[in-house]
């Protein structure tokens, strides 16, 4: 019979090879192209040929790492200025190795009590940082902002419609509606589709010139929907929009939510981590009044992908929304004052996510994280200043390190931004994207990497300057 364990000698040999190659990649990421050529036929051929090869375990492991190194956008690269995909800190990487070995199952508390309590502890810690009372702070780790936002929609429905968990949408006689800005993340739309509300239940609120939600328009839209016989139940404020880093007026949204008795959720998947920085924390004023918060630790906290949190100051809402009875889950903790995680989450069987954040905080502490977040913010300001000095125009207003820009001569030319971005990405020397601001595509650059320095930003500015010259030829 095949031994999945392999022999101790083979394990040691494979680990030696793998750790050496991974350390080389981690130490020298900046020597690689940021992005690969995207030849789909070649990549599909490489996948098939590796699968059909009859090499040894060592050869398979070595080749797999090499293929990933060749055919990946290297988000850990300091010249990656793209989406919110940072370089993972080493503590987070170590925690993933530990988790893979122990393979804790967080459905039942009694199976992995230490890992489960780590997550409960962190939820309390983050809840209090956001201003939730300690006695009320609750939540759950999630695989990403989309799952956390889905959790928010489900909790909001249960809170505003107490019989929803039993009767579902069939028990409602009015159409439930969710409100968020035109700049909000599309996971809200996806969540409404998943719960059966449909995308038409999402009301997109107009934004102001700074791309934050127009709260007067929000109030007007809610009133119009009430007059039409609908039932508003939830409003989502965004703390750090994906495209431009805009932070909605959370205090004003809270006042409106309170007036109309709506669940107030803050999607702080990106900008929520600003709560760690004393300098940036004031930007989140009003978040302490929210009913729930989404925060992705895999963004500014630089832990491996798929580490998000849903936080709430309604301590019973998760159990009321997700609790089920069954005959097969372990009853070892039946007499203890605990809630099994499977009764507290969208997920059932799941791996530990909190260990990534826990070990990182053990290594670096809150002060270390504040330093890193402030550094990235400083690098964002340096990029704004450098671009302006070189004649470029900044087209978004954000204190976060998300910069959208174009050249004044081509302010209304989407093709210009597309050309600049394509030229930079195809060079393999950096990675940027485009985003529509006020109806026209702009170049978008975001500082996502704690190791990005002024020299990397100088390099990016030179690349876009050179691309502009070529565009004008």
């Amino acid at each position: 019979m095949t031994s999945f364990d392999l022999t101790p000698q083979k394990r040691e040999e494979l680990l030696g090879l793998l750790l050496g190659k991974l350390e080389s990649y981690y130490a020298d990421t900046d020597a690689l192209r940021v992005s690969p050529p995207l030849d789909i036929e070649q990549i599909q051929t490489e996948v098939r040929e590796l699968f059909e090869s009859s090499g040894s375990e060592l050869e398979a492991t070595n080749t797999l790492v090499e293929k990933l190194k060749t055919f990946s956008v290297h988000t850990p690269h300091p010249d990656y200025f793209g989406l919110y995909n940072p370089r993972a800190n080493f503590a987070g990487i170590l925690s993933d190795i530990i988790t893979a070995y122990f393979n804790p199952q967080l459905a039942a508390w009694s199976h992995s009590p230490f890992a489960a309590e780590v997550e409960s502890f962190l939820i309390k810690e983050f809840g209090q940082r956001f201003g939730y009372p300690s006695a009320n702070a609750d939540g759950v780790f999630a695989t990403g902002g989309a799952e956390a936002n889905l959790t928010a929609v489900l909790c909001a429905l249960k809170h505003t419609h107490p019989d929803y968990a039993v009767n579902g949408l069939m028990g409602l006689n009015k159409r439930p509606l969710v409100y968020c800005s035109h700049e909000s993340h599309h996971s809200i739309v996806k969540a409404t589709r998943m719960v059966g509300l449909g995308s038409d239940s999402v009301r997109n609120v107009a934004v102001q010139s700074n791309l934050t939600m127009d709260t007067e328009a929000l109030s007007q839209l809610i009133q119009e929907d009430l007059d039409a016989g609908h039932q508003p139940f939830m409003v989502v404020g965004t703390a750090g929009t994906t495209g431009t880093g805009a932070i909605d007026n959370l205090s004003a949204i809270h006042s409106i939510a309170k007036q109309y008795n709506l669940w107030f959720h803050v999607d702080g998947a990106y900008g929520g981590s600003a709560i760690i920085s004393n300098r940036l924390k004031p930007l989140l004023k009003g978040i302490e009044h929210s009913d729930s918060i989404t925060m992705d630790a895999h963004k500014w906290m630089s832990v491996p992908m798929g580490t998000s949190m849903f936080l709430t100051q309604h301590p019973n809402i998760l159990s009321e929304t997700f609790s089920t009875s069954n005959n097969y889950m372990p009853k070892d903790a039946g007499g203890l004052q605990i809630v099994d995680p499977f009764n507290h989450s969208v997920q059932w069987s799941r791996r530990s996510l909190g260990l990534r954040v826990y070990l990182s905080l053990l290594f670096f502490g809150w002060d270390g994280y504040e330093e890193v977040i402030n550094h990235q913010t400083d690098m964002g300001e340096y990029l704004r200043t450098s671009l302006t000095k070189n004649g470029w125009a900044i087209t978004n207003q954000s204190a976060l390190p998300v910069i959208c820009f174009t050249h004044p001569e081509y302010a209304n030319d989407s093709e210009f931004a597309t050309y600049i971005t394509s030229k930079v990405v195809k060079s393999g020397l950096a990675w940027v994207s485009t985003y529509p601001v006020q109806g026209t595509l702009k170049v978008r650059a975001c500082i996502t990497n704690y190791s990005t320095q002024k020299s990397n930003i100088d390099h990016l500015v030179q690349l876009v300057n050179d691309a502009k010259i070529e565009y004008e030829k």
Side-chain angles (χ1 to χ4, degrees):
M1 186 179 77
T2 300
S3 173
F4 279 9
D5 285 350
L6 304 181
T7 65
Q9 180 182 1
K10 180 61 69 175
R11 294 199 300 266
E12 183 176 350
E13 193 177 10
L14 285 166
L15 281 171
L17 167 74
L18 181 60
L19 291 177
K21 294 189 75 65
L22 292 178
E23 172 56 25
S24 175
Y25 171 74
Y26 197 71
D28 300 319
T29 311
D30 57 355
L32 301 171
R33 285 178 56 100
V34 181
S35 56
L38 297 180
D39 184 333
I40 187 170
E41 290 186 6
Q42 180 189 0
I43 295 169
Q44 289 174 342
T45 298
E46 299 269 5
V47 169
R48 183 177 62 255
E49 289 181 349
L50 174 57
F51 188 77
E52 293 173 350
S53 67
S54 56
S56 66
E57 295 95 340
L58 284 170
E59 290 171 332
T61 303
N62 180 70
T63 305
L64 177 61
V65 173
E66 288 301 317
K67 297 304 180 187
L68 285 171
K69 188 158 62 170
T70 303
F71 299 112
S72 293
V73 173
H74 295 298
T75 57
H77 199 293
D79 289 308
Y80 175 81
F81 298 95
L83 309 178
Y84 302 125
N85 304 315
R87 177 180 177 86
N89 72 60
F90 200 66
I93 292 172
L94 288 177
S95 72
D96 257 10
I97 296 173
I98 295 168
T99 299
Y101 267 83
F102 281 90
N103 200 24
Q105 162 60 287
L106 260 67
W109 182 92
S110 60
H111 267 46
S112 301
F114 187 84
E117 285 303 312
V118 161
E119 295 197 355
S120 296
F121 171 78
L122 289 172
I123 290 295
K124 286 281 187 184
E125 285 288 305
F126 278 94
Q128 290 176 74
R129 282 189 166 264
F130 281 110
Y132 288 173
S134 176
N136 294 344
D138 195 17
V140 65
F141 274 79
T143 55
E147 183 191 330
N149 285 339
L150 170 62
T151 302
V153 172
L154 288 165
C155 287
L157 280 168
K158 178 65 181 71
H159 179 77
T160 56
H161 302 81
D163 295 330
Y164 170 74
V166 176
N167 297 325
L169 300 181
M170 299 299 293
L172 308 181
N173 54 20
K174 295 182 179 180
R175 180 162 199 169
L177 299 176
V178 183
Y179 300 82
C180 53
S181 86
H182 279 290
E183 293 290 311
S184 65
H185 196 271
H186 289 85
S187 58
I188 302 298
V189 172
K190 184 181 286 190
T192 60
R193 291 175 178 172
M194 293 173 72
V195 304
L197 292 174
S199 55
D200 281 351
S201 66
V202 178
R203 295 293 197 253
N204 286 312
V205 183
V207 295
Q208 303 178 96
S209 59
N210 64 359
L211 303 180
T212 63
M213 182 187 287
D214 184 333
T215 53
E216 289 187 9
L218 171 65
S219 291
Q220 181 178 346
L221 189 55
I222 292 172
Q223 191 58 57
E224 289 175 357
D225 286 334
L226 284 169
D227 293 342
H230 301 309
Q231 189 165 6
F233 77 98
M234 180 182 189
V235 58
V236 181
T238 306
T241 56
T242 302
T244 66
I247 299 176
D248 290 335
N249 186 334
L250 303 180
S251 294
I253 296 173
H254 162 252
S255 296
I256 296 168
K258 186 176 181 180
Q259 176 185 352
Y260 290 102
N261 196 28
L262 310 183
W263 182 278
F264 173 33
H265 177 66
V266 176
D267 183 356
Y270 171 55
S273 295
I275 202 71
I276 299 171
S277 165
N278 287 319
R279 184 203 304 179
L280 299 178
K281 183 177 179 179
L283 299 172
L284 302 180
K285 181 181 179 182
I287 200 169
E288 68 275 10
H289 300 303
S290 63
D291 293 291
S292 58
I293 301 167
T294 287
M295 196 198 102
D296 286 353
H298 62 243
K299 292 187 168 74
W300 257 8
M301 293 196 75
S302 302
V303 298
M305 290 297 296
T307 313
S308 185
M309 281 177 273
F310 169 81
L311 304 166
T312 180
Q313 57 177 323
H314 295 267
N316 299 316
I317 192 64
L318 283 165
S319 294
E320 291 172 357
T321 303
F322 297 111
S323 182
T324 60
S325 60
N326 60 79
N327 297 318
Y328 49 85
M329 291 299 291
K331 305 296 189 294
D332 310 41
L336 302 178
Q337 295 298 312
I338 59 95
V339 176
D340 278 317
F342 79 91
N343 275 326
H344 213 60
S345 169
V346 169
Q347 298 184 65
W348 201 288
S349 297
R350 69 175 180 87
R351 78 196 311 260
S352 167
L353 300 174
L355 291 178
R356 299 167 175 176
V357 179
Y358 189 67
L359 191 60
S360 297
L361 283 167
L362 292 181
F363 274 36
F364 310 118
W366 294 111
D367 290 344
Y369 267 112
E370 181 174 23
E371 180 183 346
V372 164
I373 288 171
N374 287 345
H375 167 73
Q376 291 182 55
T377 305
D378 290 341
M379 292 301 98
E381 191 55 43
Y382 181 74
L383 177 55
R384 289 187 190 92
T385 302
S386 299
L387 287 167
T388 302
K389 287 181 178 178
N390 280 267
W392 296 83
I394 309 302
T395 59
N396 68 318
Q397 304 171 41
S398 177
L400 307 182
V402 184
I403 298 90
C404 298
F405 62 97
T406 188
H407 199 277
E409 298 174 32
Y410 306 101
N412 298 313
D413 183 358
S414 289
E415 291 184 4
F416 174 72
T418 301
Y419 180 88
I420 298 297
T421 300
S422 177
K423 199 73 177 176
V424 170
V425 171
K426 286 181 179 179
S427 74
L429 299 175
W431 202 98
V432 292
S433 59
T434 59
Y435 187 78
V437 178
Q438 305 294 0
T440 306
L441 289 179
K442 306 297 189 293
V443 183
R444 177 189 178 279
C446 179
I447 314 297
T448 68
N449 192 324
Y450 55 80
S451 63
T452 296
Q453 305 296 330
K454 289 182 178 180
S455 58
N456 303 107
I457 291 169
D458 292 339
H459 183 217
L460 174 62
V461 173
Q462 185 60 55
L463 287 173
V464 297
N465 284 342
D466 292 344
K468 174 181 175 292
I469 292 171
E470 292 191 27
Y471 184 77
E472 294 172 334
K473 287 182 178 179

